[in-house]
Amino acid sequence: SQQGEEDPQALSIQEGENATMNCSYKTSINNLQWYRQNSGRGLVHLILIRSNEREKHSGRLRVTLDTSKKSSSLLITASRAADTASYFCAGSTGGGNKLTFGTGTQLKVEL
Amino acid sequence: GAVVSQHPSRVICKSGTSVKIECRSLDFQATTMFWYRQFPKKSLMLMATSNEGSKATYEQGVEKDKFLINHASLTLSTLTVTSAHPEDSSFYICSATEDTQYFGPGTRLTVL
């Protein structure tokens, strides 16, 4: 399988704490994207980092990319209960923007 | 931002029937749409790439005669699950590509 791996599989933290999720992938990518999914719903695009970028910020999100290690991390700072969701990384390969998704991290932020 | 819709959001059907799921890009044209399948608490698995005006490209292990895809216009792709069986029960999600992939809200299929 070409699917990427994410760890941890599940993460439970208190509101206000930071949450870090890691993603490793197997093939070369054009870019790497992070998505959020609430239970039983569609995916929401969070952030895209290109293969020639090392770090990117968007609000409370910080993404890093290490192409030499084929890994990426997503940091959510000052987490809120509303951040509770599953988070997936997805590598874009080839033409046509084809995405290969990681296994996902289920984040639970408790009050 | 770009919006992708799916219809129906939920469908329950008897074993042996066929079910059609629609995916529409509402405010942009998409020459390429993707169909994914997701089992509970699992990741998305790409089933096929739907190309407007041409045949879909299926991923390895996906039966093209079982999952019929039609991309008749730049804003509509349909996935038909033919002769559905309980093991086809799943969450089906489509996406449409503009600058990035925008995902539909998903369709929950339950086959009794």
Side-chain angles (χ1 to χ4, degrees), chain A residues 8-21 36-38 76 78-87 104-111, chain B residues 41:
Chain A
Q9 288 187 321
L11 178 62
S12 184
I13 59 175
Q14 297 293 118
E15 198 171 50
E17 294 180 336
N18 296 339
T20 300
M21 289 160 267
R36 167 199 168 119
Q37 184 183 35
N38 286 80
I76 303 174
S79 65
R80 306 166 182 167
D83 294 329
T84 296
S86 292
Y87 292 82
T105 294
Q106 293 184 45
L107 173 66
K108 183 176 181 180
V109 182
E110 298 178 344
L111 294 171
Chain B
K41 298 189 186 296

Side-chain angles (χ1 to χ4, degrees), chain A residues 58-78:
Chain A
S58 177
R60 294 185 295 115
L61 305 180
R62 173 178 168 252
V63 169
T64 63
L65 179 64
D66 187 335
T67 53
S68 66
K69 295 181 180 178
K70 290 187 168 61
S71 67
S72 174
S73 68
L74 171 67
L75 168 67
I76 303 174
T77 60

Side-chain angles (χ1 to χ4, degrees), chain A residues 3 33 35 37 40-43 45 88 96-99 101-103 106, chain B residues 34 36 38 41-46 59 91 93 97 100-101 103-105:
Chain A
Q3 194 170 38
Q33 303 177 40
Y35 288 85
Q37 184 183 35
R41 307 294 291 275
L43 273 71
H45 184 261
F88 295 93
N97 199 23
K98 183 176 175 179
L99 293 178
F101 280 82
T103 50
Q106 293 184 45
Chain B
F34 298 91
Y36 297 85
Q38 185 180 32
K41 298 189 186 296
K42 297 294 184 182
S43 187
L44 279 73
M45 298 299 295
L46 179 65
E59 295 299 302
F91 193 55
I93 304 177
T97 299
T100 185
Q101 282 195 35
F103 285 80

Side-chain angles (χ1 to χ4, degrees), chain A residues 43-60:
Chain A
L43 273 71
V44 175
H45 184 261
L46 295 176
I47 195 166
L48 179 154
I49 186 166
R50 301 190 188 283
S51 59
N52 61 353
E53 297 177 308
R54 292 296 168 259
E55 187 171 313
K56 202 163 184 178
H57 297 253
S58 177
R60 294 185 295 115

Side-chain angles (χ1 to χ4, degrees), chain B residues 17-37:
Chain B
T17 60
S18 294
V19 175
K20 180 185 284 187
I21 304 170
E22 294 185 347
C23 177
R24 292 181 186 273
S25 56
L26 297 185
D27 49 3
F28 67 100
Q29 294 182 329
T31 54
T32 302
M33 293 184 175
F34 298 91
W35 286 96
Y36 297 85
R37 182 173 182 173

